[in-house]
Coordinates of all heavy atoms in Angstrom, one line a residue:
M13 N 48.6 -22.0 -14.0 CA 47.2 -21.8 -14.0 C 46.8 -20.8 -12.9 O 45.8 -20.1 -12.9 CB 46.4 -23.1 -13.9 CG 45.1 -22.9 -14.5 SD 45.1 -22.5 -16.2 CE 43.5 -22.6 -16.7
V14 N 47.6 -20.9 -11.8 CA 47.2 -20.1 -10.7 C 47.4 -18.6 -11.0 O 46.6 -17.7 -10.5 CB 48.2 -20.3 -9.4 CG1 48.0 -19.4 -8.3 CG2 47.9 -21.8 -8.9
Y15 N 48.2 -18.2 -11.9 CA 48.5 -16.8 -12.3 C 47.6 -16.4 -13.5 O 47.2 -15.3 -13.7 CB 49.9 -16.6 -12.5 CG 50.8 -16.9 -11.4 CD1 51.7 -17.9 -11.4 CD2 50.7 -16.1 -10.3 CE1 52.5 -18.2 -10.3 CE2 51.5 -16.3 -9.1 CZ 52.4 -17.4 -9.2 OH 53.2 -17.6 -8.1
V16 N 47.4 -17.4 -14.3 CA 46.6 -17.1 -15.6 C 45.2 -16.8 -15.3 O 44.7 -15.8 -15.9 CB 46.8 -18.3 -16.6 CG1 45.9 -18.1 -17.8 CG2 48.2 -18.5 -17.0
L17 N 44.5 -17.6 -14.5 CA 43.1 -17.4 -14.3 C 42.8 -16.0 -13.7 O 42.0 -15.3 -14.2 CB 42.5 -18.5 -13.4 CG 41.0 -18.5 -13.3 CD1 40.3 -18.6 -14.6 CD2 40.6 -19.6 -12.3
P18 N 43.5 -15.6 -12.6 CA 43.1 -14.2 -12.1 C 43.5 -13.1 -13.1 O 42.8 -12.1 -13.2 CB 44.0 -14.1 -10.8 CG 44.2 -15.5 -10.4 CD 44.3 -16.3 -11.7
L19 N 44.6 -13.4 -13.9 CA 45.0 -12.4 -14.9 C 43.9 -12.2 -15.9 O 43.5 -11.1 -16.3 CB 46.3 -12.7 -15.5 CG 46.8 -11.7 -16.5 CD1 47.2 -10.4 -15.9 CD2 48.1 -12.3 -17.2
L20 N 43.4 -13.3 -16.5 CA 42.3 -13.3 -17.4 C 41.0 -12.7 -16.8 O 40.3 -12.0 -17.5 CB 42.0 -14.6 -17.9 CG 43.0 -15.2 -18.9 CD1 42.7 -16.7 -19.3 CD2 43.2 -14.4 -20.2
C21 N 40.7 -13.0 -15.5 CA 39.6 -12.5 -14.9 C 39.7 -11.0 -14.7 O 38.7 -10.3 -14.4 CB 39.3 -13.2 -13.6 SG 38.7 -14.9 -13.8
F22 N 40.9 -10.4 -14.7 CA 41.1 -9.0 -14.6 C 41.1 -8.4 -16.0 O 40.4 -7.3 -16.1 CB 42.4 -8.7 -13.9 CG 42.6 -7.3 -13.7 CD1 42.0 -6.5 -12.7 CD2 43.5 -6.6 -14.5 CE1 42.3 -5.2 -12.6 CE2 43.8 -5.3 -14.4 CZ 43.2 -4.5 -13.4
V23 N 41.9 -8.9 -16.9 CA 42.1 -8.2 -18.2 C 40.8 -8.2 -19.1 O 40.6 -7.2 -19.7 CB 43.2 -8.9 -18.9 CG1 43.4 -8.4 -20.3 CG2 44.5 -8.7 -18.1
I24 N 40.1 -9.3 -19.1 CA 38.9 -9.3 -20.0 C 37.9 -8.3 -19.6 O 37.4 -7.5 -20.3 CB 38.4 -10.8 -20.1 CG1 39.4 -11.7 -20.8 CG2 37.0 -10.8 -20.8 CD1 39.1 -13.1 -20.9
P25 N 37.5 -8.3 -18.2 CA 36.5 -7.2 -17.8 C 37.2 -5.8 -18.0 O 36.4 -4.8 -18.2 CB 36.3 -7.5 -16.4 CG 36.5 -8.9 -16.2 CD 37.7 -9.1 -17.2
L26 N 38.5 -5.7 -17.9 CA 39.1 -4.4 -18.1 C 38.8 -3.9 -19.4 O 38.4 -2.7 -19.7 CB 40.6 -4.5 -17.9 CG 41.4 -3.2 -18.1 CD1 41.3 -2.3 -16.8 CD2 42.8 -3.5 -18.3
I27 N 39.1 -4.7 -20.4 CA 38.8 -4.3 -21.9 C 37.3 -4.0 -22.1 O 37.0 -3.1 -22.7 CB 39.4 -5.5 -22.8 CG1 40.9 -5.5 -22.7 CG2 39.0 -5.2 -24.2 CD1 41.5 -6.7 -23.3
L28 N 36.6 -5.0 -21.6 CA 35.1 -4.7 -21.7 C 34.6 -3.5 -21.1 O 33.7 -2.8 -21.6 CB 34.3 -5.9 -21.2 CG 34.5 -7.2 -22.0 CD1 33.8 -8.4 -21.3 CD2 34.1 -7.1 -23.4
G29 N 35.1 -3.1 -19.9 CA 34.8 -1.8 -19.3 C 35.1 -0.7 -20.1 O 34.3 0.3 -20.2
V30 N 36.4 -0.7 -20.6 CA 36.8 0.4 -21.4 C 35.9 0.6 -22.7 O 35.5 1.7 -23.0 CB 38.3 0.3 -21.9 CG1 38.7 1.3 -23.0 CG2 39.2 0.4 -20.7
L31 N 35.7 -0.5 -23.4 CA 34.8 -0.4 -24.5 C 33.3 0.0 -24.2 O 32.7 0.8 -25.0 CB 34.9 -1.7 -25.3 CG 36.2 -2.2 -25.9 CD1 36.1 -3.5 -26.5 CD2 36.6 -1.2 -26.9
A32 N 32.8 -0.5 -23.1 CA 31.5 -0.2 -22.7 C 31.3 1.4 -22.5 O 30.4 2.0 -23.0 CB 31.0 -1.0 -21.5
V33 N 32.2 1.9 -21.8 CA 32.1 3.4 -21.4 C 32.5 4.2 -22.7 O 31.7 5.1 -22.9 CB 33.1 3.7 -20.2 CG1 33.1 5.2 -20.1 CG2 32.6 3.0 -19.0
R34 N 33.4 3.8 -23.5 CA 33.7 4.6 -24.7 C 32.5 4.6 -25.6 O 32.3 5.7 -26.3 CB 34.8 3.9 -25.5 CG 36.2 4.4 -25.1 CD 37.1 3.5 -25.9 NE 38.4 4.1 -26.2 CZ 39.3 3.4 -26.9 NH1 39.0 2.3 -27.4 NH2 40.4 3.9 -27.1
H35 N 31.8 3.6 -25.7 CA 30.6 3.5 -26.7 C 29.3 3.8 -26.1 O 28.2 3.6 -26.7 CB 30.6 2.1 -27.3 CG 31.8 1.8 -28.1 ND1 32.1 2.5 -29.3 CD2 32.7 0.9 -27.9 CE1 33.2 2.0 -29.8 NE2 33.6 1.1 -29.0
G36 N 29.4 4.4 -24.9 CA 28.1 4.9 -24.3 C 27.3 3.9 -23.5 O 26.1 4.2 -23.2
Y37 N 27.8 2.8 -23.1 CA 27.1 1.9 -22.2 C 27.7 1.8 -20.9 O 28.0 0.8 -20.2 CB 27.2 0.5 -22.9 CG 26.5 0.3 -24.2 CD1 27.2 0.4 -25.4 CD2 25.1 0.3 -24.2 CE1 26.6 0.2 -26.6 CE2 24.5 0.3 -25.5 CZ 25.2 0.2 -26.7 OH 24.6 0.1 -27.9
G38 N 27.9 3.0 -20.3 CA 28.6 3.2 -19.0 C 27.7 2.6 -17.8 O 28.4 2.2 -16.9
W39 N 26.5 2.4 -18.0 CA 25.7 1.9 -17.0 C 26.0 0.4 -16.7 O 25.7 -0.1 -15.6 CB 24.2 2.0 -17.3 CG 23.8 1.4 -18.6 CD1 23.8 1.9 -19.8 CD2 23.3 0.0 -18.8 NE1 23.4 1.0 -20.8 CE2 23.1 -0.2 -20.2 CE3 23.1 -1.0 -17.9 CZ2 22.7 -1.4 -20.7 CZ3 22.7 -2.2 -18.4 CH2 22.5 -2.4 -19.8
T40 N 26.6 -0.3 -17.7 CA 26.9 -1.6 -17.5 C 28.0 -1.9 -16.5 O 28.2 -2.9 -15.9 CB 27.3 -2.4 -18.8 OG1 28.4 -1.7 -19.3 CG2 26.1 -2.3 -19.7
V41 N 28.9 -0.9 -16.3 CA 30.1 -1.0 -15.5 C 29.6 -1.2 -14.0 O 30.0 -2.2 -13.3 CB 31.0 0.1 -15.7 CG1 32.2 0.1 -14.6 CG2 31.7 0.1 -17.0
P42 N 28.8 -0.3 -13.4 CA 28.4 -0.4 -12.0 C 27.5 -1.7 -11.8 O 27.6 -2.3 -10.8 CB 27.7 0.8 -11.6 CG 27.5 1.5 -12.9 CD 28.4 1.1 -13.9
T43 N 26.8 -2.0 -12.9 CA 25.8 -3.2 -12.8 C 26.7 -4.4 -12.7 O 26.5 -5.3 -11.8 CB 24.9 -3.3 -14.0 OG1 24.2 -2.1 -14.1 CG2 24.0 -4.4 -13.9
L44 N 27.7 -4.6 -13.6 CA 28.5 -5.8 -13.5 C 29.4 -5.8 -12.3 O 29.7 -6.9 -11.8 CB 29.4 -5.9 -14.8 CG 28.6 -6.2 -16.1 CD1 29.6 -6.1 -17.3 CD2 27.9 -7.5 -16.0
A45 N 29.9 -4.7 -11.9 CA 30.7 -4.6 -10.6 C 29.9 -5.0 -9.4 O 30.3 -5.8 -8.5 CB 31.3 -3.3 -10.4
G46 N 28.6 -4.6 -9.5 CA 27.7 -5.0 -8.3 C 27.4 -6.5 -8.3 O 27.4 -7.1 -7.3
L47 N 27.2 -7.1 -9.5 CA 27.1 -8.5 -9.6 C 28.3 -9.3 -9.1 O 28.2 -10.3 -8.4 CB 26.7 -8.9 -11.0 CG 25.3 -8.5 -11.6 CD1 25.2 -8.8 -13.0 CD2 24.3 -9.3 -10.7
A48 N 29.4 -8.8 -9.4 CA 30.7 -9.5 -9.0 C 30.8 -9.3 -7.5 O 31.2 -10.2 -6.8 CB 31.9 -8.8 -9.7
A49 N 30.4 -8.2 -7.0 CA 30.4 -8.0 -5.4 C 29.4 -9.0 -4.8 O 29.7 -9.6 -3.7 CB 30.2 -6.6 -5.1
L50 N 28.3 -9.1 -5.4 CA 27.3 -10.2 -4.9 C 27.9 -11.6 -4.9 O 27.7 -12.3 -4.0 CB 26.0 -10.1 -5.7 CG 25.2 -8.9 -5.3 CD1 23.9 -8.9 -6.3 CD2 24.7 -8.9 -3.9
V51 N 28.6 -11.9 -6.0 CA 29.3 -13.2 -6.0 C 30.3 -13.4 -5.0 O 30.5 -14.4 -4.4 CB 29.8 -13.5 -7.5 CG1 30.8 -14.7 -7.5 CG2 28.8 -13.6 -8.5
I52 N 31.0 -12.3 -4.7 CA 32.0 -12.4 -3.6 C 31.4 -12.6 -2.3 O 31.8 -13.5 -1.5 CB 32.9 -11.1 -3.6 CG1 33.8 -11.0 -4.9 CG2 33.8 -11.0 -2.3 CD1 34.5 -9.7 -5.1
V53 N 30.3 -11.9 -2.0 CA 29.6 -12.0 -0.7 C 29.1 -13.4 -0.6 O 29.1 -14.0 0.5 CB 28.6 -10.9 -0.6 CG1 27.6 -11.2 0.6 CG2 29.2 -9.5 -0.5
W54 N 28.4 -13.9 -1.7 CA 27.8 -15.2 -1.6 C 28.9 -16.3 -1.4 O 28.7 -17.2 -0.6 CB 27.1 -15.5 -2.9 CG 26.6 -16.9 -3.0 CD1 25.5 -17.4 -2.5 CD2 27.3 -18.0 -3.7 NE1 25.5 -18.8 -2.7 CE2 26.6 -19.1 -3.5 CE3 28.5 -18.0 -4.4 CZ2 26.9 -20.3 -4.0 CZ3 28.8 -19.3 -4.9 CH2 28.1 -20.4 -4.8
A55 N 30.1 -16.1 -2.1 CA 31.1 -17.2 -1.9 C 31.7 -17.2 -0.5 O 32.0 -18.2 0.0 CB 32.2 -16.9 -3.0
I56 N 31.8 -16.0 0.0 CA 32.4 -15.9 1.4 C 31.4 -16.5 2.4 O 31.7 -17.3 3.3 CB 32.8 -14.5 1.7 CG1 34.0 -14.1 0.9 CG2 33.0 -14.3 3.2 CD1 34.3 -12.6 1.1
W57 N 30.1 -16.1 2.2 CA 29.1 -16.7 3.1 C 29.0 -18.2 3.0 O 28.9 -18.9 4.0 CB 27.7 -16.0 2.8 CG 26.6 -16.7 3.5 CD1 26.2 -16.5 4.8 CD2 25.7 -17.6 3.0 NE1 25.1 -17.2 5.0 CE2 24.8 -17.9 4.0 CE3 25.5 -18.2 1.7 CZ2 23.8 -18.8 3.8 CZ3 24.5 -19.1 1.5 CH2 23.6 -19.4 2.6
R58 N 29.0 -18.7 1.7 CA 28.9 -20.1 1.5 C 30.1 -20.8 2.0 O 30.0 -22.0 2.5 CB 28.7 -20.3 0.0 CG 28.4 -21.8 -0.4 CD 27.0 -22.1 0.0 NE 26.7 -23.5 -0.4 CZ 26.4 -24.5 0.4 NH1 26.0 -24.2 1.7 NH2 26.2 -25.7 -0.1
G59 N 31.3 -20.3 1.8 CA 32.5 -20.8 2.3 C 32.5 -21.0 3.9 O 33.1 -21.9 4.4
Q60 N 31.9 -20.0 4.6 CA 31.8 -20.2 6.0 C 30.9 -21.3 6.4 O 31.0 -21.8 7.6 CB 31.2 -18.8 6.6 CG 32.3 -17.7 6.5 CD 31.8 -16.4 7.0 OE1 30.6 -16.3 7.2 NE2 32.7 -15.4 7.2
Q61 N 29.9 -21.7 5.6 CA 29.1 -22.8 5.9 C 29.7 -24.1 5.8 O 29.3 -25.1 6.3 CB 27.8 -22.7 4.9 CG 27.1 -21.5 5.0 CD 26.6 -21.0 6.3 OE1 26.1 -21.7 7.1 NE2 26.7 -19.7 6.6
E62 N 30.7 -24.3 4.9 CA 31.3 -25.4 4.7 C 32.6 -25.7 5.6 O 33.1 -24.8 6.2 CB 31.9 -25.6 3.2 CG 30.7 -25.4 2.2 CD 29.8 -26.6 2.2 OE1 30.3 -27.7 2.5 OE2 28.6 -26.4 1.8
Q63 N 33.1 -26.9 5.5 CA 34.3 -27.3 6.3 C 35.3 -27.8 5.4 O 35.0 -28.5 4.4 CB 34.0 -28.3 7.5 CG 33.1 -27.7 8.5 CD 32.8 -28.8 9.6 OE1 33.1 -30.0 9.4 NE2 32.2 -28.4 10.6
G64 N 36.6 -27.7 5.8 CA 37.7 -28.3 5.0 C 38.0 -27.7 3.7 O 37.8 -26.5 3.5
W65 N 38.2 -28.5 2.7 CA 38.6 -28.1 1.4 C 37.4 -27.4 0.6 O 37.6 -26.6 -0.3 CB 39.1 -29.3 0.5 CG 40.4 -29.7 1.0 CD1 40.6 -30.8 1.8 CD2 41.6 -29.1 0.9 NE1 42.0 -30.9 2.0 CE2 42.6 -29.9 1.5 CE3 42.0 -28.0 0.2 CZ2 43.9 -29.6 1.6 CZ3 43.4 -27.6 0.3 CH2 44.3 -28.4 1.0
D66 N 36.2 -27.7 0.9 CA 35.0 -27.1 0.3 C 35.0 -25.6 0.5 O 34.8 -24.8 -0.4 CB 33.7 -27.8 0.7 CG 33.6 -29.2 0.2 OD1 34.3 -29.5 -0.8 OD2 32.9 -30.0 0.8
G67 N 35.3 -25.2 1.7 CA 35.3 -23.8 2.2 C 36.4 -23.1 1.4 O 36.3 -21.9 1.0
I68 N 37.5 -23.7 1.3 CA 38.7 -23.1 0.6 C 38.3 -22.8 -0.9 O 38.7 -21.9 -1.5 CB 39.9 -24.0 0.7 CG1 40.4 -23.9 2.2 CG2 41.0 -23.5 -0.2 CD1 41.5 -24.9 2.5
G69 N 37.6 -23.8 -1.5 CA 37.1 -23.6 -2.9 C 36.3 -22.4 -3.1 O 36.5 -21.7 -4.0
Y70 N 35.4 -22.1 -2.2 CA 34.6 -20.9 -2.2 C 35.4 -19.7 -2.1 O 35.2 -18.7 -2.7 CB 33.5 -21.0 -1.2 CG 32.3 -21.9 -1.6 CD1 32.2 -23.0 -0.9 CD2 31.5 -21.6 -2.6 CE1 31.1 -23.9 -1.2 CE2 30.5 -22.5 -3.0 CZ 30.3 -23.6 -2.3 OH 29.3 -24.5 -2.6
A71 N 36.4 -19.7 -1.2 CA 37.3 -18.5 -1.1 C 38.1 -18.3 -2.3 O 38.4 -17.2 -2.7 CB 38.3 -18.8 0.1
I72 N 38.6 -19.4 -2.9 CA 39.2 -19.3 -4.3 C 38.4 -18.6 -5.2 O 38.8 -17.7 -6.0 CB 39.8 -20.6 -4.7 CG1 40.9 -21.1 -3.8 CG2 40.2 -20.6 -6.2 CD1 41.4 -22.5 -4.1
V73 N 37.1 -19.0 -5.3 CA 36.2 -18.3 -6.3 C 36.1 -16.8 -6.0 O 36.1 -16.0 -6.9 CB 34.8 -19.0 -6.2 CG1 33.8 -18.2 -6.9 CG2 34.9 -20.4 -6.8
A74 N 35.9 -16.5 -4.6 CA 35.8 -15.1 -4.3 C 37.0 -14.2 -4.6 O 36.9 -13.2 -5.1 CB 35.4 -15.0 -2.8
F75 N 38.2 -14.8 -4.2 CA 39.4 -13.9 -4.3 C 40.2 -14.1 -5.5 O 40.9 -13.1 -5.8 CB 40.2 -14.1 -3.0 CG 39.5 -13.7 -1.7 CD1 39.0 -14.6 -0.9 CD2 39.2 -12.3 -1.5 CE1 38.4 -14.2 0.3 CE2 38.6 -11.9 -0.4 CZ 38.2 -12.9 0.5
F76 N 40.1 -15.1 -6.2 CA 40.9 -15.3 -7.4 C 40.1 -15.2 -8.7 O 40.7 -15.2 -9.8 CB 41.7 -16.7 -7.4 CG 42.7 -16.7 -6.4 CD1 42.7 -17.7 -5.4 CD2 43.7 -15.8 -6.4 CE1 43.7 -17.7 -4.4 CE2 44.7 -15.9 -5.4 CZ 44.7 -16.8 -4.4
M77 N 38.7 -15.2 -8.6 CA 38.0 -15.1 -9.8 C 37.0 -13.9 -9.7 O 37.0 -13.0 -10.6 CB 37.2 -16.3 -10.1 CG 38.2 -17.5 -10.5 SD 37.4 -18.9 -11.2 CE 36.4 -19.5 -9.9
A78 N 36.2 -13.7 -8.7 CA 35.2 -12.7 -8.7 C 35.9 -11.3 -8.4 O 35.5 -10.3 -8.9 CB 34.1 -13.0 -7.6
A79 N 36.8 -11.3 -7.5 CA 37.5 -10.0 -7.1 C 38.2 -9.3 -8.3 O 38.1 -8.2 -8.5 CB 38.3 -10.1 -5.9
P80 N 39.0 -10.1 -9.0 CA 39.6 -9.5 -10.2 C 38.6 -9.0 -11.2 O 38.9 -8.0 -11.9 CB 40.5 -10.6 -10.8 CG 40.9 -11.5 -9.6 CD 39.5 -11.5 -8.7
V81 N 37.5 -9.8 -11.4 CA 36.5 -9.3 -12.3 C 35.9 -7.9 -11.9 O 35.8 -7.0 -12.7 CB 35.3 -10.4 -12.4 CG1 34.1 -9.7 -13.1 CG2 35.8 -11.6 -13.1
M82 N 35.7 -7.8 -10.6 CA 35.1 -6.6 -10.1 C 36.2 -5.4 -10.2 O 35.8 -4.4 -10.8 CB 34.7 -6.7 -8.6 CG 34.1 -5.5 -8.0 SD 33.6 -5.6 -6.4 CE 35.2 -5.6 -5.4
F83 N 37.3 -5.6 -9.9 CA 38.4 -4.6 -10.0 C 38.7 -4.3 -11.5 O 38.9 -3.1 -11.9 CB 39.6 -5.0 -9.2 CG 39.5 -5.0 -7.8 CD1 39.8 -6.1 -7.0 CD2 38.9 -3.9 -7.1 CE1 39.7 -6.1 -5.6 CE2 38.7 -3.9 -5.8 CZ 39.1 -5.0 -5.0
G84 N 38.7 -5.3 -12.3 CA 38.9 -5.1 -13.7 C 37.9 -4.3 -14.4 O 38.2 -3.4 -15.1
I85 N 36.6 -4.5 -14.0 CA 35.5 -3.8 -14.7 C 35.4 -2.4 -14.2 O 35.2 -1.5 -15.0 CB 34.1 -4.5 -14.6 CG1 33.1 -3.9 -15.5 CG2 33.6 -4.4 -13.2 CD1 33.2 -4.4 -16.9
L86 N 35.8 -2.1 -12.9 CA 35.9 -0.8 -12.4 C 37.0 0.0 -13.0 O 36.9 1.2 -13.4 CB 35.9 -0.8 -10.9 CG 34.7 -1.3 -10.2 CD1 34.9 -1.3 -8.7 CD2 33.5 -0.3 -10.4
A87 N 38.2 -0.7 -13.1 CA 39.3 0.0 -13.7 C 39.1 0.3 -15.1 O 39.5 1.4 -15.6 CB 40.6 -0.8 -13.5
G88 N 38.5 -0.6 -15.9 CA 38.2 -0.4 -17.2 C 37.2 0.8 -17.4 O 37.3 1.5 -18.3
G89 N 36.2 0.9 -16.5 CA 35.2 1.9 -16.6 C 35.9 3.3 -16.4 O 35.6 4.3 -17.0
I90 N 36.8 3.3 -15.4 CA 37.5 4.5 -15.2 C 38.4 4.9 -16.3 O 38.4 6.2 -16.7 CB 38.4 4.4 -13.8 CG1 37.4 4.4 -12.6 CG2 39.3 5.6 -13.7 CD1 38.1 4.0 -11.4
I91 N 39.1 4.0 -16.9 CA 39.9 4.3 -18.0 C 39.1 4.8 -19.2 O 39.5 5.7 -19.9 CB 40.9 3.1 -18.4 CG1 41.9 2.8 -17.3 CG2 41.5 3.3 -19.7 CD1 42.6 1.5 -17.4
G92 N 38.1 4.1 -19.5 CA 37.2 4.4 -20.6 C 36.5 5.8 -20.4 O 36.5 6.6 -21.4
W93 N 36.2 6.1 -19.1 CA 35.7 7.5 -18.8 C 36.7 8.6 -19.1 O 36.4 9.6 -19.7 CB 35.2 7.5 -17.4 CG 34.7 8.8 -17.0 CD1 33.5 9.4 -17.4 CD2 35.3 9.8 -16.1 NE1 33.4 10.6 -16.8 CE2 34.5 10.9 -16.0 CE3 36.5 9.7 -15.4 CZ2 34.8 12.0 -15.2 CZ3 36.9 10.8 -14.6 CH2 36.0 11.9 -14.5
L94 N 38.0 8.3 -18.6 CA 39.0 9.3 -18.9 C 39.3 9.5 -20.3 O 39.5 10.6 -20.8 CB 40.3 8.9 -18.1 CG 40.3 8.9 -16.5 CD1 41.5 8.3 -16.0 CD2 40.1 10.3 -16.2
Q95 N 39.3 8.4 -21.1 CA 39.5 8.5 -22.6 C 38.4 9.2 -23.2 O 38.7 10.0 -24.1 CB 39.7 7.1 -23.2 CG 41.0 6.4 -22.8 CD 41.1 5.0 -23.4 OE1 40.1 4.5 -23.9 NE2 42.2 4.4 -23.4
R96 N 37.2 9.0 -22.8 CA 36.0 9.6 -23.4 C 36.1 11.1 -23.1 O 35.8 11.9 -23.9 CB 34.8 9.0 -23.0 CG 33.6 9.4 -23.7 CD 32.4 8.6 -23.3 NE 31.2 9.1 -23.9 CZ 30.1 8.6 -23.9 NH1 29.9 7.5 -23.2 NH2 29.0 9.0 -24.6
R97 N 36.5 11.4 -21.9 CA 36.5 12.8 -21.4 C 37.6 13.6 -22.2 O 37.5 14.7 -22.6 CB 36.8 12.9 -20.0 CG 36.7 14.2 -19.3 CD 36.6 14.1 -17.8 NE 37.2 15.2 -17.3 CZ 37.9 15.3 -16.2 NH1 38.2 14.3 -15.5 NH2 38.4 16.5 -15.8
R98 N 38.7 12.8 -22.4 CA 39.8 13.5 -23.1 C 39.5 13.7 -24.6 O 39.9 14.7 -25.2 CB 41.1 12.6 -23.0 CG 42.4 13.2 -23.5 CD 43.6 12.4 -23.4 NE 43.8 12.1 -21.9 CZ 44.2 10.9 -21.5 NH1 44.5 9.9 -22.3 NH2 44.3 10.7 -20.2
R99 N 38.8 12.8 -25.2 CA 38.4 12.9 -26.5 C 37.4 14.0 -26.7 O 37.4 14.7 -27.7 CB 37.8 11.6 -27.0 CG 37.6 11.6 -28.6 CD 37.0 10.3 -29.1 NE 37.5 9.2 -28.4 CZ 36.9 7.9 -28.5 NH1 35.8 7.8 -29.1 NH2 37.3 6.9 -27.8
A100 N 36.5 14.2 -25.7 CA 35.5 15.3 -25.8 C 36.1 16.7 -25.7 O 35.6 17.7 -26.3 CB 34.5 15.2 -24.7
R101 N 37.3 16.8 -25.1 CA 38.0 18.1 -24.9 C 38.6 18.6 -26.3 O 38.7 19.8 -26.4 CB 39.1 18.0 -23.9 CG 38.6 18.0 -22.5 CD 39.8 18.0 -21.6 NE 39.4 18.0 -20.2 CZ 40.2 17.9 -19.2 NH1 41.5 17.8 -19.4 NH2 39.8 17.9 -18.0
R102 N 38.9 17.7 -27.2 CA 39.6 18.0 -28.4 C 38.6 18.6 -29.4 O 37.6 18.6 -29.5 CB 40.3 16.7 -29.0 CG 41.4 16.3 -28.2 CD 42.1 15.1 -28.9 NE 43.1 14.6 -28.0 CZ 43.8 13.5 -28.3 NH1 43.5 12.9 -29.4 NH2 44.7 13.2 -27.5

């Protein structure tokens, strides 16, 4: 499960980012990446407020769930933009 959850948190937004940009909803990519960044900042801040295992739980949320979502949506947006640009050249 340690490997599956970050992989799913990366692959699903990657696919959604590609599809969003291909179909003309490119504005959703930076919006969702910004929301994921806010979740990361919140989780790190909240984790600093806690002690022991609770703080580690917030770090896990930040680095194993929210960060892959942010990188996945950005990578998907870039891939979708490149595919759309390549298709427009033809």
Side-chain angles (χ1 to χ4, degrees):
M13 202 60 174
V14 172
Y15 300 110
V16 173
L17 186 63
L19 182 66
L20 287 176
C21 287
F22 179 79
V23 171
I24 292 171
L26 177 82
I27 294 167
L28 293 176
V30 168
L31 293 175
V33 172
R34 271 176 154 184
H35 296 293
Y37 297 104
W39 59 271
T40 59
V41 171
T43 304
L44 293 176
L47 287 174
L50 285 175
V51 169
I52 292 170
V53 169
W54 173 81
I56 291 172
W57 172 77
R58 188 73 178 125
Q60 290 176 348
Q61 308 299 317
E62 300 292 332
Q63 294 180 350
W65 291 104
D66 293 334
I68 292 173
Y70 285 109
I72 288 170
V73 168
F75 294 109
F76 292 123
M77 291 193 297
V81 167
M82 185 179 69
F83 291 129
I85 195 77
L86 289 174
I90 291 169
I91 292 169
W93 176 73
L94 290 172
Q95 288 178 348
R96 189 173 180 175
R97 189 172 151 208
R98 189 176 304 143
R99 193 180 321 163
R101 285 184 181 175
R102 292 181 184 179

